[in-house]
Amino acid sequence: MQYSKLCFTFILLTISFKAPFTRSENLTCNSYDLRSLTNFSSFIDYGLDWNTSDSNCCTWTGVTCDHSTVSSKRVVRLELGSKRLQGIVSESLAGLDQLKILNLSQNFLHGYLPARLFHLQNLEIIDLSNNDFVGPIPGGSNLSSIRYIDISGNIFNGSVDATLCESSSYIHTINLGNNYFTGEVPANFGRCSSLQQLFLNDNQLSGSFSKSLCQLRNLRILNLQHNLVSGPLNDEIGKLSNLVELDISSNRFSGILPDAFERLEKIENFFASSNNFNGHLPKSLVNSPYIIFLNLNKNTLNGPINLNCSAMVHLTSVDLGSNNFHGPLPDVISSCQRLTNLNLARNNLGGEVPFAFKNLRALRFLSLSNSSLVNISSALATLQHCRNLTSLILSFNFHNEQMPRNVNFHFRNLRVLVIPYCELRGSIPTWLSGSKMLQLLDLSWNRLCGTIPLWLHDFNYLFYMDLSNNSFTGEIPESLTELQGLNNMNRSAERDSSGFPLFTFGADGSRFKYKGIWGFRPTLDLSYNNLTGPLCPGLGNLKELHVLNLKENHLSGAIPDSFSGMINLEVLDLSYNDLSGEIPLSLEKLSFLSKFSVAYNQLQGDIPAGGQFLTFPPSSFEGNKGLHGRQLTPFQPQQAPHDAQRADEETKIIGLQFGLGVMSGFLFTFTLSFASGWVFAKNHQAQ
Ligand SMILES: *[C@@H]1O[C@H](CO)[C@@H](O)[C@H](O)[C@H]1NC(C)=O
Ligand SMILES: *[C@@H]1O[C@H](CO)[C@@H](O)[C@H](O)[C@H]1NC(C)=O
Ligand SMILES: *[C@@H]1O[C@H](CO)[C@@H](O)[C@H](O)[C@H]1NC(C)=O
Ligand SMILES: *[C@@H]1O[C@H](CO)[C@@H](O)[C@H](O)[C@H]1NC(C)=O
Ligand SMILES: *[C@@H]1O[C@H](CO)[C@@H](O)[C@H](O)[C@H]1NC(C)=O
Ligand SMILES: *[C@@H]1O[C@H](CO)[C@@H](O)[C@H](O)[C@H]1NC(C)=O
Ligand SMILES: *[C@@H]1O[C@H](CO)[C@@H](O)[C@H](O)[C@H]1NC(C)=O
Ligand SMILES: *[C@@H]1O[C@H](CO)[C@@H](O)[C@H](O)[C@H]1NC(C)=O
Ligand SMILES: *[C@@H]1O[C@H](CO)[C@@H](O)[C@H](O)[C@H]1NC(C)=O
Ligand SMILES: *[C@@H]1O[C@H](CO)[C@@H](O)[C@H](O)[C@H]1NC(C)=O
Ligand SMILES: *[C@@H]1O[C@H](CO)[C@@H](O)[C@H](O)[C@H]1NC(C)=O
Ligand SMILES: *[C@@H]1O[C@H](CO)[C@@H](O)[C@H](O)[C@H]1NC(C)=O
């Protein structure tokens, strides 16, 4: 009471002093707003560059005032997104009673939110996403003008509540994603009649699918991904005639899919992967002319794959992997002319790849792993006609067949070829030399023999090659040391230009960014073969290589000193070979090396004791009679480098490493949770 009285007096004073003398352009910010902001800033420990001695707060970064010509200017927008702000949000912020837009997203703010913030009558947009705010959403809120609320990516908990909608009839977007909300989706969400986008993804919401959501006739996006919602998906979902995207993946839904897609006349994206849906594909779904992206991966759906391509004219991406669909591979799919992505891996299909698949001219990504396919010759002969094919994944098929060799297949656009675990016989086929765009090649766990071909160095973009567990003989070709994708950052950066179909969501709900294949660390894996001869010193040129695995071969000679040139190396496994000489001291320079083994060789001399070598276990060195001198001293932090330039360099590399690490971690998660079946997780390489 006293507070507002005081303010009133203050405002009066301001008016009486200023109004007669000033013209509109001289008006500065309202003193009440000034005090609110000054108080707000006093709780921000870092990141705010406001000059609070300058009393015109309208000029401060992120502050926008109205065009008032009457008294003083009122603050209507506070936009401080991505400013690295640290600290808490003080209650005084709620004093900005003319505020229309509040954006504090992507900072490091923490603590509870002041409840009064949820009573700002003029607030239309509030974006507090990606901070560390805690606690429940303040109850009894009254934001009568709110249209858009995003509090995703925080540590909010408690139950979700739609009382917001009771005070505002304009609200069109609610994003509560990526928090720790629990309990059921309450029925009062049905009152959010103007709601167009509802994101509840990545929480711990449980219970069954709330029918009340089906009352939201204006809803365009409903995202419940990654929660614990169980039971059937209600037939009433068909009432959501404006729905464009429905994502209920990674929940515990069960029962059959509702035959309600006829009524969903705007639906483009339906994602229900990683649930327990069973039964057949509903008729209305396989005849939906609206669906563009369909993902039902990891359920227990069965029956035939009877997509009706004459009806599904917009179908672009289909993921039916890891279900119980029965074969043979349906040739009807070949009339889906727009299809770019197709995953049917891990079903009970079988037989040959239908010849009609050659008509899939738009196809870019195809996975048919673990589908009991036979006849790799006919499969490749057919698929080479899919001229846009960039990723082909055929693991666990063609048991013990011969790799076709003396033929003229053309896979000119292929970037990713993955055919491991097939026990294929023969050698690396020469037709592969025409696939100059290749970035990732996995032919591991076969029975291929012969030498590693010299023409591999023509593959300017190759950065991942796994030929492990075959019967390759001969030397490691010197030409591998010229691989541009492993030599040169610019080349390796280009691999981002194409990639796996990893569906990702931005915090803002933007969808379908195609990410590259960054999830894979630059790798050369030739382990478990019969390779002989020396380690070529030139391998040290492979600055971008992260994993070099040459375990279990018959390689001999010394470990080249130049190996220290592989500055990004994280894994180096040379165990079970016939290597002799000493471990070069220069390897201490490999500052990212986290796994190292030279066990079971003929090495001798002292084990280096600096750099990462302090962290390797004794088992990394066992089985070498001549190796000695390793003192198992407790780990001691290294001294900071004296040389300033070197310190700089390290910071840069670490910075970059960090960036890539975060990125690959992120994508790896998606590879596992979304696109599983496109590639198989390789248990023999589990780190
Ligand atoms: C403010 O008012 C004074 C005199 O009334 C005038 O000279 C000046 O140009 C005005 N504008 C600003 C931005 O100071
Ligand atoms: C900010 O406002 C609160 C009351 O809302 C008050 O207790 C506090 O002293 C103020 N802090 C500053 C630095 O003005
Ligand atoms: C802050 O504002 C005051 C008053 O306008 C001014 O005198 C001072 O130079 C400003 N300080 C900075 C660092 O800009
Ligand atoms: C808030 O700011 C961030 C970062 O500046 C921006 O990306 C985001 O779009 C803004 N939010 C809204 C709702 O405009
Ligand atoms: C919510 O989080 C707060 C702060 O982290 C904690 O004290 C509280 O127990 C949590 N409440 C629930 C219901 O989990
Ligand atoms: C919200 O606040 C406004 C203005 O104070 C008031 O008129 C309205 O009744 C309140 N609504 C609710 C649901 O409390
Ligand atoms: C497939 O779709 C076409 C076009 O909508 C339709 O005429 C045909 O009856 C459908 N076929 C089946 C088996 O449903
Ligand atoms: C292959 O698929 C079958 C079921 O179709 C499954 O049991 C098996 O685990 C799969 N193998 C791999 C390696 O994924
Ligand atoms: C094949 O890819 C090219 C280049 O991306 C594209 O322009 C073309 O339309 C694609 N072909 C088909 C049939 O989609
Ligand atoms: C594989 O398919 C080809 C036709 O593409 C056929 O000539 C060949 O006999 C088939 N091989 C086997 C083992 O069925
Ligand atoms: C190599 O592959 C065979 C199957 O081809 C498998 O049985 C064996 O375990 C694999 N060995 C290693 C070391 O991965
Ligand atoms: C390597 O060659 C030896 C004979 O030289 C053979 O006994 C062994 O099975 C081969 N190993 C592999 C993995 O092919």
Side-chain angles (χ1 to χ4, degrees), residues 281 283 285-289 305-315 332-333 335-336:
L281 295 172
K283 192 157 182 285
L285 180 59
V286 297
N287 285 288
S288 167
I305 296 175
N306 53 352
L307 303 177
N308 182 356
C309 294
S310 326
M312 302 190 84
V313 289
H314 288 108
L315 196 61
V332 288
I333 289 182
S335 14
C336 286

Side-chain angles (χ1 to χ4, degrees), residues 622-684:
E622 68 192 16
N624 288 281
K625 289 210 179 79
L627 271 187
H628 54 76
R630 183 172 153 85
Q631 307 281 333
L632 282 172
T633 47
F635 180 76
Q636 284 175 348
Q638 280 174 276
Q639 286 187 329
H642 300 295
D643 186 350
Q645 198 188 335
R646 195 175 141 66
D648 244 355
E649 208 171 69
E650 273 184 1
T651 318
K652 213 164 67 196
I653 291 167
I654 289 167
L656 182 62
Q657 247 359 81
F658 178 71
L660 287 178
V662 166
M663 185 72 165
S664 32
F666 176 72
L667 281 184
F668 188 61
T669 315
F670 274 100
T671 315
L672 291 181
S673 61
F674 264 86
S676 69
W678 288 96
V679 186
F680 278 93
K682 302 190 61 176
N683 39 18
H684 77 297

Side-chain angles (χ1 to χ4, degrees), residues 352 375 377-378 381:
E352 297 191 6
N375 203 341
S377 302
S378 80

Side-chain angles (χ1 to χ4, degrees), residues 467-480:
L467 302 178
S468 64
N469 199 1
N470 279 284
S471 301
F472 291 113
T473 52
E475 300 193 0
I476 298 173
E478 187 85 40
S479 61
L480 283 190

Side-chain angles (χ1 to χ4, degrees), residues 470-471 528-530 554:
N470 279 284
S471 301
Y528 296 98
N529 278 291
N530 257 346
H554 301 295

Side-chain angles (χ1 to χ4, degrees), residues 392-411:
L392 178 58
I393 297 163
L394 297 171
S395 342
F396 287 103
N397 286 297
F398 317 116
H399 183 71
N400 203 13
E401 291 184 19
Q402 179 84 23
M403 174 68 97
R405 190 161 49 123
N406 298 320
V407 278
N408 221 358
F409 292 151
H410 298 287
F411 287 95

Side-chain angles (χ1 to χ4, degrees), residues 492-660:
S492 48
E494 285 182 42
R495 65 175 179 255
D496 207 18
S497 61
S498 85
F500 283 83
L502 298 171
F503 309 140
T504 67
F505 290 86
D508 55 350
S510 64
R511 5 185 197 125
F512 300 119
K513 295 169 186 155
Y514 284 90
K515 295 282 185 177
I517 47 184
W518 286 99
F520 297 86
R521 289 188 293 187
T523 294
L524 270 184
D525 192 341
L526 305 175
S527 61
Y528 296 98
N529 278 291
N530 257 346
L531 299 171
T532 52
L535 296 171
C536 9
L539 286 171
N541 297 337
L542 302 179
K543 290 195 290 291
E544 295 303 323
L545 192 61
H546 288 231
V547 177
L548 178 59
N549 191 351
L550 301 174
K551 183 180 182 176
E552 291 261 14
N553 279 287
H554 301 295
L555 299 165
S556 55
I559 302 173
D561 206 35
S562 61
F563 271 26
S564 61
M566 294 184 271
I567 52 175
N568 281 301
L569 212 57
E570 294 169 49
V571 177
L572 177 59
D573 195 340
L574 303 173
S575 61
Y576 298 94
N577 278 289
D578 297 320
L579 299 173
S580 53
E582 299 191 357
I583 303 175
L585 212 56
S586 59
L587 297 190
E588 290 181 0
K589 285 193 240 163
L590 297 174
S591 49
F592 297 116
L593 202 58
S594 58
K595 285 191 72 184
F596 175 81
S597 182
V598 290
Y600 299 95
N601 280 287
Q602 325 289 332
L603 295 168
Q604 39 185 289
D606 289 336
I607 296 172
Q612 291 294 92
F613 276 83
L614 287 167
T615 65
F616 304 139
S619 58
S620 295
F621 305 99
E622 68 192 16
N624 288 281
K625 289 210 179 79
L627 271 187
H628 54 76
R630 183 172 153 85
Q631 307 281 333
L632 282 172
T633 47
F635 180 76
Q636 284 175 348
Q638 280 174 276
Q639 286 187 329
H642 300 295
D643 186 350
Q645 198 188 335
R646 195 175 141 66
D648 244 355
E649 208 171 69
E650 273 184 1
T651 318
K652 213 164 67 196
I653 291 167
I654 289 167
L656 182 62
Q657 247 359 81
F658 178 71
L660 287 178

